[in-house]
Amino acid sequence: MDFDGKVWPLAGGFGRYTRLVAAASWLPNVCVSLGFFSEFLYTSSPESQCQGGPCGGDNSSSPGATLINSSTCPGAWGVQAQSWLHGTIVTQWHLVCENGWKVPLEQICYLIGWLWGYIIFGLVCDRFGRRNGFISALVVALPLGVALCFSPGYLSFMAIRIVFGAALSGIFLSFYIARGELLLPGVAVLCSDWKVLQGAISGALLLLSGYWCCHLLFPESPRWLLATRQLNRCKAELCLFSRANGIDTGEDFAEIDSLWRGFPRPRYYSFCSLVGTRLIWRNALILGFTTFIGSGIRPCFARNLMALGGSTPYFLQAGSEVLACISLCITVNHWGRRAVLLLFTILTGFCSLLLLALTQYLFTAVSIAISVLGSLSSHAVVMLSVFYASEVLPTVIRGSGLGIILGLSMLGRASFPMIVLQQRSGFFLHHVVFSSFCILSVLSLLLLPETKRKALPDTLRQGEGLRRPPLLLQATQDAVPLLSHGKPRADYNPDSYAQLASSTKKMIRSNSTHGQDNKALTND
């Protein structure tokens, strides 16, 4: 059944209750974004100066610095107080000198936690529903968020952080999209210490329990219920939407029962179901590849922004993300998904190649401008790739498919901490590889279908029916038509094949009759 055209309008469509649910879905993702981007503050390396010992350095500490002593570093360290957090895991557990490698290791483990969380909770969303996936992730995230505040050491912090990141990714995947990066610095200034900030993030997650207790704030997806043949639950959710939207259907959605005879058993799918498809797996692979590239190439642009110092690079990157969101909202509905994604991918590759070849010859201001533009375009590539995938993947595997694609974005983010773990020895190779991948992805994007103004596919068969548009304009009509363009016959209806066949037969018989009459007149 056509869900968008026949089922959803009966439930009120995008009525007042549906708009309320859409607005309410933003708050949880703001909380999740605070938890995700807090990693930047927790692991930020403070400006430090060695106060003697085998590490060398001058003997004058920075003004207002806090001296710490570390058994890996026999000399004292002067740690410059941060503008947002005065205490981080680096200052608490002395992750400097020989222990400095533990910082990128924790970043890698945290991103791997998000990766596995996307995969696991994506499967949960497709098997048990979007609401149940959110509830299970919230139940895991709340106690672990509190436990992080009382971590006794580095190892316990890293272990809890991995699972906490996986739970946050489950909440993010259930609600899908949000942004809270610009709110984080203000919250950090109020909290001062990383443990207080973690407590504030856990408290924000506690507010999300209202979505668990109040079914109206986060109902189950009726589209997913119908696609997986859970008819009774689907009709119950549709009735909830129709009543809340002020629509009296009076039919109790009885036409849904006509889709299947008897009592059909629910049918669930997983990402492994893509093995037998021809086009869906290819589209998922291409979009996952572009998401991986967009996430992995961003450190190439962020590195040049570090020359500005202070908090300016952070706000430049966050501001570029906001501009990327605005530009996508303006362009995607007018030019289509594929064309805009192709444009931003080309722009990302162009900025990356410019920095790769001409950094040492460019003025600092020009280099920073190119880096900001590249950061904007790369973030647009990631956002649009995920959004594009949600329209290409069928409803029955949308959760697990998006989980894989978002997991690849975490893998791309983890590439830079891996380089830092190797003391930045492979950064140039990293830049070259991702620039090459960006050029390769431009060619693969031409194989994607266009989803602009098309209904979301619900089944694998509908997903296979999405075809790519032609690369060139369609050929014009032949100059000499096969049939004349005279007044159409009254019994000719091209919209009906049966009537078309019947009309054709009548035309043949009519022409043969006229031919016989003309022949008889000639003989006479």
Side-chain angles (χ1 to χ4, degrees):
M1 179 176 289
D2 183 8
F3 184 88
D4 294 315
K6 297 181 179 180
V7 178
W8 193 232
L10 296 177
F14 199 65
R16 61 175 183 270
Y17 172 65
T18 309
R19 293 193 295 268
L20 174 63
V21 173
S25 66
W26 280 83
L27 176 60
N29 286 307
V30 171
C31 301
V32 172
S33 298
L34 292 176
F36 178 76
F37 292 107
S38 63
E39 179 72 8
F40 170 79
L41 298 181
Y42 290 175
T43 60
S44 59
S45 299
E47 299 177 2
S48 54
Q49 293 178 340
C50 185
Q51 305 303 308
C55 296
D58 58 25
N59 295 323
S60 60
S61 60
S62 302
T66 304
L67 297 179
I68 61 174
N69 290 316
S70 173
S71 59
T72 59
C73 181
W77 277 78
V79 180
Q80 183 69 33
Q82 297 295 298
S83 57
W84 297 338
L85 288 180
H86 298 286
T88 66
I89 64 172
V90 178
T91 59
Q92 179 165 352
W93 293 311
H94 315 321
L95 304 183
V96 293
C97 281
E98 296 179 358
N99 283 336
W101 60 272
K102 294 182 179 180
V103 174
L105 178 62
E106 192 277 335
Q107 294 173 341
I108 294 173
C109 292
Y110 184 58
L111 292 174
I112 290 177
W114 275 77
L115 187 154
W116 283 109
Y118 279 133
I119 296 175
I120 294 173
F121 286 103
L123 295 173
V124 172
C125 288
D126 281 342
R127 177 59 180 83
F128 301 102
R130 281 56 167 159
R131 176 177 171 81
N132 291 330
F134 160 71
I135 293 175
S136 58
L138 182 63
V139 169
V140 176
L142 278 177
L144 291 179
V146 176
L148 277 174
C149 301
F150 304 98
S151 301
Y154 170 79
L155 292 179
S156 61
F157 173 84
M158 186 171 63
I160 299 174
R161 189 80 169 154
I162 293 174
V163 187
F164 181 67
L168 289 182
S169 66
I171 299 175
F172 181 88
L173 187 60
S174 301
F175 286 93
Y176 171 55
I177 191 170
R179 272 295 166 263
E181 192 173 358
L182 292 175
L183 300 177
L184 186 60
V187 178
V189 170
L190 296 176
C191 295
S192 179
D193 189 77
W194 74 268
K195 290 187 176 182
V196 181
L197 177 59
Q198 179 60 41
I201 295 173
S202 302
L205 292 177
L206 183 62
L207 296 176
L208 302 186
S209 58
Y211 289 78
W212 179 8
C213 302
C214 183
H215 187 85
L216 287 174
L217 288 178
F218 188 37
E220 187 53 82
S221 169
R223 180 188 293 271
W224 174 77
L225 293 173
L226 182 61
T228 53
R229 303 181 182 181
Q230 303 180 63
L231 303 187
N232 292 332
R233 292 185 60 192
C234 178
K235 290 190 292 184
E237 293 293 338
L238 288 173
C239 290
L240 170 66
F241 274 89
S242 62
R243 289 194 302 268
N245 283 324
I247 302 296
D248 184 14
T249 59
E251 302 175 0
D252 198 24
F253 300 96
E255 67 275 6
I256 295 180
D257 295 328
S258 62
L259 294 177
W260 292 279
R261 296 179 180 178
F263 300 93
R265 297 181 58 185
R267 185 176 181 181
Y268 304 102
Y269 298 83
S270 66
F271 197 77
C272 299
S273 303
L274 295 182
V275 176
T277 63
R278 278 193 321 114
L279 300 178
I280 301 177
W281 72 267
R282 185 194 69 185
N283 298 334
L285 180 63
I286 293 174
L287 293 173
F289 184 53
T290 55
T291 305
F292 170 75
I293 294 170
S295 299
I297 205 172
R298 294 198 71 194
C300 303
F301 305 119
R303 188 186 187 189
N304 292 331
L305 299 179
M306 294 297 108
L308 297 175
S311 58
T312 304
Y314 180 90
F315 285 107
L316 279 178
Q317 294 186 67
S320 66
E321 293 182 7
V322 175
L323 293 177
C325 295
I326 297 175
S327 60
L328 288 180
C329 293
I330 296 175
T331 59
V332 164
N333 280 336
H334 293 282
W335 297 343
R337 281 62 164 158
R338 191 178 71 157
V340 176
L341 181 58
L342 190 64
L343 172 64
F344 279 113
T345 305
I346 293 175
L347 188 59
T348 301
F350 180 71
C351 293
S352 177
L353 291 176
L354 280 180
L355 293 178
L356 188 63
L358 303 176
T359 299
Q360 56 183 343
Y361 305 107
L362 296 175
F363 293 106
T364 303
V366 177
S367 178
I368 291 175
I370 295 176
S371 299
V372 172
L373 181 60
S375 180
L376 184 153
S377 58
S378 62
H379 188 73
V381 167
V382 175
M383 286 193 299
L384 185 53
S385 296
V386 176
F387 176 75
Y388 204 165
S390 67
E391 294 185 332
V392 170
L393 295 172
T395 301
V396 292
I397 58 167
R398 188 167 293 134
S400 55
L402 282 178
I404 294 291
I405 292 174
L406 287 170
L408 289 175
S409 71
M410 293 298 106
L411 186 61
R413 282 179 174 268
S415 61
F416 184 69
M418 292 179 184
I419 297 176
V420 177
L421 191 61
Q422 300 175 0
Q423 299 180 352
R424 301 178 182 266
S425 58
F427 185 82
F428 180 78
L429 180 61
H430 171 270
H431 198 161
V432 172
V433 169
F434 274 90
S435 298
S436 304
F437 282 168
C438 197
I439 298 174
L440 180 61
S441 65
V442 171
L443 300 177
S444 62
L445 290 177
L446 299 176
L447 300 176
L448 292 176
E450 180 55 64
T451 58
K452 177 185 176 182
R453 296 190 180 94
K454 292 184 179 180
L456 292 177
D458 292 327
T459 63
L460 295 179
R461 178 177 297 180
Q462 293 175 353
E464 286 287 276
L466 294 177
R467 305 283 179 172
R468 67 173 180 85
L471 299 179
L472 301 177
L473 295 177
Q474 296 181 358
T476 58
Q477 189 179 12
D478 294 338
V480 182
L482 297 179
L483 299 175
S484 62
H485 294 282
K487 184 178 180 180
R489 298 170 60 101
D491 58 349
Y492 184 77
N493 184 7
D495 295 332
S496 174
Y497 177 79
Q499 295 183 15
L500 177 62
S502 176
S503 300
T504 304
K505 292 178 181 179
K506 290 181 181 180
M507 291 170 62
I508 294 175
R509 283 197 292 266
S510 176
N511 292 334
S512 62
T513 302
H514 287 300
Q516 293 176 358
D517 294 341
N518 293 334
K519 183 177 181 181
L521 291 174
T522 303
N523 294 334
D524 293 342

